[in-house]
Amino acid sequence: MLRQVAEGVLIHESEFCRSNAVVVQGRAGVLLIDPGVHDYEMAALANDLRELSQPVVAGFSTHPHWDHLLWHAELGAAPRYGTARCAATVRALLSDARWKDRVAKVIPPDIAEQIPLDLLGLITGLPAETARIPWDGPQVRIIEHQAHAVGHAALVIEERGVLVAGDMLSDVLIPMLDLNDTADPIEDYLTALRLLEGAADDVDVLVPGHGSIGGADQVRARIEQDRAYVHALRDAGVPDDPRVGPSATFGKDWLPGVHEWQLQHLARRRERDGTPG
Ligand SMILES: [Zn+2]
């Protein structure tokens, strides 16, 4: 079921990890950002859009993680975009003949059969430094950064005051750093938070990749919450964060011990690189 969060901006929340698909109404159809997860959910979304006489005219994936790269045949054959880095990462994955096995390893087994992989990641990379998504609708500004995943884009739907944050600023998931592809994951994350902070004045509605929609007051509050977590992680301190620990939501089943894992991974990196604390 689609829910309006701002004029001409609707979301669909998935049963999986409270993932938010975002629909932006344009002149001749909609832009669909991170379309969803389950096969039947995306089919239902396609059906809802058909009933609204709103064809999908463009797609966008915020970052190259499987749950943001899916697509359903009934959504049609519109161009699907991502940043150049995002597209290159996906291309490298898809060039491996066994890519479906690799992706299947990170999908929770209980839902694996409901995840349609055939159209995963068929995106066109926008040239580096592209400022806006090329489509006929409200201007959507791209804020590219390297937190959480290579070539991650947050999007600002300027005329609607909406920030689509991708996998940051969630009220249910702690910041998950990209610990594989970057030289300084902590600094990359803090840099990205500063970029989002720079856009905060333009934003009345925050849509995270997973979790609750936030109002204007939530934008800076969640930036601060994410920053405090990343600082605690950097300093190997104990984060005072309701998203960590046994009280955390579904995340504990799907992602047990993410915080501990990140701590250990960073400690190993420091040992390897010989960098102090
Ligand atoms: Zn992600």
Side-chain angles (χ1 to χ4, degrees):
M1 194 55 65
L2 284 165
R3 176 159 75 90
Q4 177 156 315
V5 297
E7 188 196 332
V9 182
L10 305 105
I11 61 150
H12 175 268
E13 185 181 306
S14 169
E15 286 169 30
F16 172 74
C17 215
R18 300 190 59 192
S19 306
N20 292 310
V22 183
V23 169
V24 187
Q25 287 173 338
R27 268 171 279 279
V30 304
L31 165 68
L32 179 55
I33 304 162
D34 292 353
V37 180
H38 297 272
D39 189 71
Y40 60 87
E41 285 175 344
M42 286 189 283
L45 174 58
N47 199 47
D48 286 351
L49 293 172
R50 216 170 8 247
E51 282 175 8
L52 293 169
S53 303
Q54 297 275 345
V56 178
V57 295
F60 192 89
S61 287
T62 56
H63 64 286
H65 286 164
W66 70 271
D67 51 330
H68 300 261
L69 294 169
L70 298 165
W71 196 260
H72 194 288
E74 290 184 21
L75 292 168
R80 295 157 56 189
Y81 300 113
T83 66
R85 282 192 176 98
C86 174
T89 303
V90 180
R91 213 163 32 243
L93 170 71
L94 297 182
S95 70
D96 179 344
R98 297 169 57 84
W99 71 266
K100 281 190 182 173
D101 296 338
R102 285 173 61 188
V103 173
K105 279 200 190 100
V106 294
I107 297 179
D110 57 318
I111 63 163
E113 284 187 1
Q114 299 154 15
I115 310 302
L117 294 181
D118 286 343
L119 299 175
L120 179 142
L122 303 180
I123 57 175
T124 301
L126 296 170
E129 315 297 326
T130 299
R132 290 181 169 76
I133 295 179
W135 84 298
D136 187 15
Q139 302 234 339
V140 181
R141 188 162 93 234
I142 298 170
I143 302 177
E144 183 177 350
H145 57 74
Q146 309 306 320
H148 180 70
V150 173
H152 193 306
L155 302 172
V156 180
I157 308 163
E158 295 175 325
E159 294 148 60
R160 308 286 183 254
V162 177
L163 171 63
V164 179
D167 278 1
M168 295 177 71
L169 312 188
S170 170
D171 61 331
V172 292
L173 295 175
I174 53 171
M176 288 181 232
L177 279 59
D178 180 1
L179 295 169
N180 297 315
D181 302 307
T182 80
D184 193 343
I186 294 277
E187 195 46 50
D188 284 343
Y189 215 99
L190 295 174
T191 300
L193 288 171
R194 282 192 293 273
L195 289 171
L196 298 183
E197 200 166 30
D201 283 345
D202 305 333
V203 174
D204 302 315
V205 178
L206 162 65
V207 183
H210 307 277
S212 314
I213 308 307
D217 59 321
Q218 279 289 300
V219 181
R220 285 181 196 280
R222 291 198 198 173
I223 290 170
E224 284 310 320
Q225 189 181 32
D226 276 5
R227 184 150 42 215
Y229 174 82
V230 174
H231 283 165
L233 190 62
R234 177 193 64 193
D235 303 336
V238 180
D240 174 19
D241 190 318
R243 300 172 296 178
V244 179
S247 64
T249 51
F250 53 80
K252 293 307 284 182
D253 299 331
W254 178 49
L255 296 160
V258 177
H259 172 61
E260 291 75 16
W261 182 82
Q262 296 197 122
L263 268 179
Q264 289 162 11
H265 201 107
L266 284 165
R268 275 203 303 275
R269 279 178 74 111
R270 283 188 191 110
E271 243 165 62
R272 187 193 64 202
D273 302 342
T275 45

